[in-house]
Amino acid sequence: MTPKFEYAPAPESRSVVDIASSYGLFIGGEFVDPADGKSFKTVNPATEEKLSDVSEASAADVDKAVRAARRAYDRTWSRMSGAERGKYLYRIARLLQERAREFAVLETLDNGKPIKESRDVDVPTAAAHFFYHAGWADKLEYAGLGPAPKSLGVVGQVIPWNFPLLMLAWKIAPALATGNTVVLKPAETTPLTALLFAEVCRQADLPPGVVNIVTGAGPTGQAIVEHPGVDKIAFTGSTDVGKAIARAVAGTRKRVTLELGGKAANIVFDDAAIDQAVEGIVNGIFFNQGHVCCAGSRLLVQESVADDVVHRLQRRLRTLRVGDPMDKNTDVGAINSAAQLARITELTEAGVAEGAQRWSPDVELPKRGYWFAPTVFTGVSQAHRIAREEIFGPVLSVLTFRTPDEAVAKANNTPYGLSAGIWSEKGSRVLAIADKLRAGVVWANTFNRFDPTSPFGGYKESGYGREGGRQGLAAYLDTEGTH
Amino acid sequence: MPRLEVRKTYKLYIGGKFPRSESGRSYEVTSSGRSPKFLANAAQGSRKDIRDAVVAARGAVKGWSGATAYNRGQVLYRVGEVLEGRRDQFIAEVAASEGLTKPQATRLVDAAIDRWVWYAGWPDKLAQVLGNLNPVAGPYFDISAPEPTGVVGVLAPQDSSLLGLVSVIAPAIVSGNTVVVVASEDRPLPAISLGEVLATSDVPGGVVNIVTGRTAELAPWLASHADVNALDLTGATELPWAELEASAAETLKRVVRPAGDGSGAEEPDWLATPDLSRMHAFLETKTVWHPKGM
């Protein structure tokens, strides 16, 4: 029997963060109260402790924010040189770095993700997105989108709860770099880092109205999507909501980009470096509790090595530390909300009911908060719900294949097409399989890598448009007649 | 006695073949202008014809998108050659369809041939122009390249029977997409003749499928078909195109809206120099990451 080593607790201090008891809406450079005074609470999903009361923006508040954004666009932002715009973005990037600890702690408190991930991934990557796009602001004519790309105007942005600050950076940085002004709605369960970002905008002396942040739930987002003064919608979230947005803008001339769900295949060939692949599988599905649209949720293993891979995967999962997200040794944190926990529970129960075999390591989950143990299903068929529907949680479905063609066919057998993984030591096979996968991002012998220079986005029902890189700029520019 | 002309029977073009509509229906096509003359009875395509065309188009995606870009360029250039050889026929058909003089029609047909040749040069350049190596912060090799979207449903322009048609088909298929085209309702005959050109120019069957008929009847089936990946509404100038776009939203099709402002839709000036936009509309970007290490 292998000895079990205990870790001493290593909690991150939360003293660096001041959370106000309530927050207004950030409109025109000021925090203002919502028109009808409504608010909702945001909680720490790891403890169910209430963190703060946040304003719920009505259609009237959204209208006010859109007007502020339009005013800022007409009077200052669209008239400013790209070089000056870029300097504001550089300031924001630096401020994010200076306040990195504060953002990381707040993100973990509000979202439930492990502090090591918010500290080492979310916050630095968010800053990197502002740095990358800052440099584009005065170089747009070199982006390959035609000689005179123009900004679109007011951009409405609706982002999800899985990477609250990072998604904000993905949306706001390119929008501002290309000369647009924004009205952004963070997710209702994770609004706090967006509200702290409003402070960063103030410290950067960003002209009032260039960035407006309205908090709220679905109806607030809908008010943004349907507002006639919005020129472009950028949404990241579920495929169902994405379809509703596509319907809502039909017949208008609004631009839309949608980053929606996924059901990524992570394909392991028999010649893969298995231990390395196992690390990639773990990172692919258990990173951020599996709350990742591009998570490698369908593991396709070549039959000849399937037992070995599953065995080594289980051994590895026994070493994962699940629990207090503020502990620096925690690998898997809390599920973001009770609603999401219910969804994960429902789908895993369907997996059992449909005949797949469920396995979890022996972990003790905290008594309070929303928790779900890392889970692996074997004996999964393509017809099972757990192989078809996005679970958005720490649940992996294992399927097998015999030939490369079968792997490709199974990988592509989904309406989604966001991401995929390939594990093989044979470069020619990796490249051939990558060619055949219908997915916007293909990670070969790695998984869940992100970089501001790399376009990210889906095929098929995973949405349209790309974020990041040269391709991401196109979504925020009018290049008609030149592109 | 003057010689009695041999008239042509215009049928559909699906999967490289020329079937009649399964519905057995046809409709009368007349010339434009002050005294319309009978030109032909065109096949009046049905929902089933659209579905057959989508099946043919889906079947052709793998081969066409898998062909080398050089090969697609060669095949498309061959289309230009065959178009040139049929220049007089198209001038006559366009003149009759659009009610133009011979010099006017000649200008449009020549522009259509030149347009096709322009697009024929694009397959092996798109990835270089629209793709790139990304300098990521880490030991990874990471490239982004454009790929075709799949099956594209196209409502062809209603007025410009050949130049407009070529200007919507060629950019969609350059990158490896396949298309199902609903031809101009009142001016469908050059479209079927273009099908004959495609059928004899090494373009694999199914890459381009042309259905003639009532646009308002056919468009909703194309817009809602779950195996169509993108929708070009350029020819929806007389239709409530917002409904078609909303219907396309159910499967998140990539939609090219008709030209114009607001809910208005108009036919673009097809003689204007094209750009990348129509090719770009039906492309995805795939980014492939691989570690670098010793």
Side-chain angles (χ1 to χ4, degrees):
Chain A
M1 184 167 165
T2 45
K4 188 169 170 65
F5 295 103
E6 295 297 335
Y7 289 73
E12 177 65 86
S13 166
R14 58 186 289 176
S15 66
V16 291
V17 172
D18 291 321
I19 302 175
S21 62
S22 69
Y23 288 90
L25 307 168
F26 186 66
I27 296 175
E30 302 290 335
F31 277 103
V32 297
D33 290 331
D36 57 13
K38 278 194 186 172
S39 68
F40 60 97
K41 66 174 181 177
T42 184
V43 302
N44 178 344
T47 61
E48 298 177 57
E49 156 208 13
K50 176 175 146 183
L51 294 171
S52 184
D53 280 313
V54 177
S55 298
E56 184 172 344
S58 64
D61 299 313
V62 168
D63 181 59
K64 196 172 161 190
V66 172
R67 286 170 194 276
R70 175 66 59 192
R71 230 172 5 252
Y73 179 78
D74 290 341
R75 292 184 188 171
T76 53
W77 202 244
S78 69
R79 298 182 178 192
M80 195 181 288
S81 71
E84 296 295 297
R85 280 202 316 270
K87 278 154 61 178
Y88 279 110
L89 288 163
Y90 280 122
R91 279 187 182 184
I92 292 171
R94 279 288 191 235
L95 287 163
L96 284 174
Q97 290 179 322
E98 287 161 9
R99 303 180 70 169
R101 173 88 164 261
E102 197 180 346
F103 271 100
V105 169
L106 187 60
E107 193 78 317
T108 284
L109 289 175
D110 204 17
N111 171 279
K113 64 174 66 200
I115 186 71
K116 72 170 186 185
E117 290 180 5
S118 51
R119 181 193 64 200
D120 297 347
V121 179
D122 295 54
V123 176
T125 313
H129 271 268
F130 279 97
F131 269 111
Y132 174 73
H133 286 97
W136 267 126
D138 55 357
K139 301 171 192 68
L140 294 174
E141 65 271 34
Y142 293 101
L145 304 169
K150 293 181 193 65
S151 56
L152 298 172
V154 176
V155 179
Q157 306 183 315
V158 178
I159 58 170
W161 46 260
N162 57 341
F163 293 93
L165 180 70
L166 184 54
M167 290 297 107
L168 174 148
W170 280 31
K171 293 282 185 291
I172 290 182
L176 298 194
T178 48
N180 302 281
T181 57
V182 308
V183 175
L184 176 131
K185 187 193 87 69
E188 64 265 37
T189 61
T190 55
L192 295 183
T193 43
L195 295 166
L196 184 59
F197 181 80
E199 284 295 323
V200 165
C201 293
R202 291 224 281 216
Q203 287 190 336
D205 287 329
L206 193 69
V210 171
V211 169
N212 303 275
I213 293 170
V214 291
T215 45
T220 308
Q222 194 178 349
I224 294 173
V225 168
E226 292 175 357
H227 196 291
V230 169
D231 300 294
K232 181 220 158 72
I233 306 291
F235 172 76
T236 294
S238 75
T239 293
D240 283 347
V241 175
K243 288 180 181 180
I245 291 172
R247 275 194 300 274
V249 301
T252 72
R253 297 277 174 184
K254 283 179 194 168
R255 309 288 190 88
V256 195
T257 45
L258 303 170
E259 297 287 357
L260 309 176
K263 193 71 191 172
N266 205 357
I267 306 168
V268 179
F269 285 98
D270 58 6
D271 70 337
I274 300 290
D275 286 326
Q276 189 188 341
V278 164
E279 285 305 306
I281 294 162
V282 170
N283 180 43
I285 185 62
F286 299 114
F287 174 65
N288 204 40
Q289 296 73 246
H291 300 331
V292 186
C293 49
C294 52
S297 55
R298 284 186 298 153
L299 180 63
L300 298 181
V301 193
Q302 197 151 19
E303 203 174 83
S304 49
V305 293
D307 290 345
D308 186 25
V309 168
V310 170
H311 173 73
R312 290 201 233 186
L313 178 64
Q314 290 176 339
R315 190 175 61 193
R316 175 69 179 86
L317 293 184
R318 289 192 182 99
T319 68
L320 282 186
R321 290 170 56 80
V322 184
D324 181 8
M326 290 290 279
D327 190 313
K328 283 172 265 190
N329 291 323
T330 290
D331 297 304
V332 179
I335 301 303
N336 181 249
S337 65
Q340 186 57 27
L341 180 59
R343 163 100 182 138
I344 298 167
T345 305
E346 184 210 325
L347 277 163
T348 46
E349 281 169 2
V352 174
E354 290 179 344
Q357 286 82 54
R358 176 182 186 164
W359 180 91
S360 287
D362 186 20
V363 292
E364 193 180 335
L365 299 177
K367 295 284 174 285
R368 288 181 63 80
Y370 315 124
W371 301 93
F372 200 88
T375 299
V376 176
F377 277 103
T378 50
V380 178
S381 92
Q382 295 187 80
H384 288 166
R385 282 181 73 193
I386 51 170
R388 307 184 69 83
E389 297 180 32
E390 188 177 37
I391 300 174
F392 223 66
V395 181
L396 179 68
S397 298
V398 185
L399 299 92
T400 59
F401 67 89
R402 289 183 179 176
T403 64
D405 282 349
E406 188 186 347
V408 169
K410 284 184 169 173
N412 287 337
N413 183 22
T414 166
Y416 296 114
L418 188 52
S419 62
I422 306 168
W423 298 85
S424 169
E425 289 295 278
K426 191 172 175 185
S428 60
R429 174 149 67 192
V430 164
L431 294 174
I433 298 289
D435 271 354
K436 290 176 180 164
L437 295 175
R438 303 288 293 158
V441 184
V442 177
W443 288 291
N445 293 319
T446 183
F447 209 93
N448 270 346
R449 297 286 159 198
F450 307 96
D451 193 278
T453 66
S454 286
F456 179 91
Y459 284 47
K460 300 196 279 188
E461 294 190 18
S462 289
Y464 30 79
R466 293 293 179 271
E467 292 185 294
R470 208 159 64 80
Q471 289 80 356
L473 293 172
Y476 288 97
L477 289 167
D478 187 350
T479 57
E480 224 153 79
T482 58
H483 184 50
Chain B
M1 283 276 284
R3 176 180 172 276
L4 192 66
E5 66 172 337
V6 177
R7 283 184 175 168
K8 175 173 161 186
T9 302
Y10 290 87
K11 295 187 275 188
L12 307 177
Y13 178 52
I14 295 175
K17 295 187 166 60
F18 294 90
R20 290 189 164 86
S21 170
E22 65 80 35
S23 68
R25 300 177 303 176
S26 64
Y27 68 108
E28 188 173 309
V29 177
T30 58
S31 61
S32 295
R34 260 167 296 178
S35 49
K37 280 192 311 195
F38 173 78
L39 294 177
N41 286 313
Q44 189 183 335
S46 64
R47 178 188 187 184
K48 179 68 163 67
D49 294 320
I50 290 287
R51 294 171 66 173
D52 290 347
V54 172
V55 169
R58 174 60 60 198
V61 167
K62 191 177 176 187
W64 183 240
S65 64
T68 64
Y70 177 57
N71 182 232
R72 278 201 306 276
Q74 294 267 293
V75 170
L76 293 179
Y77 183 71
R78 175 72 183 154
V79 175
E81 291 177 347
V82 180
L83 268 174
E84 182 81 26
R86 297 232 203 167
R87 185 168 170 268
D88 290 345
Q89 176 197 343
F90 278 107
I91 290 169
E93 281 186 343
V94 168
S97 292
E98 303 187 20
L100 302 175
T101 63
K102 193 177 171 190
Q104 288 170 324
T106 301
R107 182 167 174 245
L108 295 178
V109 171
D110 288 350
I113 297 168
D114 292 351
R115 176 81 27 103
W116 195 283
V117 170
W118 187 76
Y119 277 115
W122 268 111
D124 53 4
K125 295 163 193 75
L126 276 177
Q128 290 181 310
V129 172
L130 297 175
N132 35 255
L133 174 74
N134 306 307
V136 298
Y140 296 94
F141 175 71
D142 171 350
I143 51 167
S144 295
E147 287 194 347
T149 300
V151 175
V152 182
V154 180
L155 302 185
Q158 297 297 333
D159 292 342
S160 185
S161 62
L162 184 68
L163 176 59
L165 180 72
V166 161
S167 301
V168 295
I169 291 177
I173 64 174
V174 155
S175 57
N177 293 300
T178 64
V179 295
V180 174
V181 184
V182 177
S184 164
E185 179 166 333
D186 293 335
R187 301 170 175 184
L189 304 186
I192 295 304
S193 294
L194 179 69
E196 292 170 3
V197 167
L198 297 168
T200 51
S201 349
D202 308 327
V203 178
V207 171
V208 178
N209 305 275
I210 300 172
V211 179
T212 55
R214 304 300 186 197
T215 309
E217 178 192 346
L218 300 174
W221 300 124
L222 199 52
S224 63
H225 197 299
D227 208 24
V228 173
N229 304 104
L231 186 66
D232 181 348
L233 294 175
T234 301
T237 43
E238 304 298 321
L239 299 180
W241 61 269
E243 289 171 24
L244 297 172
E245 189 182 359
S247 161
E250 300 305 321
T251 48
L252 292 164
K253 291 180 179 67
R254 284 65 175 140
V255 176
V256 171
R257 291 164 175 161
D261 291 319
S263 59
E266 61 191 39
E267 192 135 337
D269 172 13
W270 295 112
L271 285 165
T273 308
D275 54 38
L276 290 179
S277 60
R278 300 199 73 89
M279 289 184 284
H280 194 253
F282 306 121
L283 290 170
E284 300 289 344
T285 296
K286 179 187 280 177
T287 300
V288 179
W289 290 66
H290 195 286
K292 285 188 208 170
M294 299 296 284

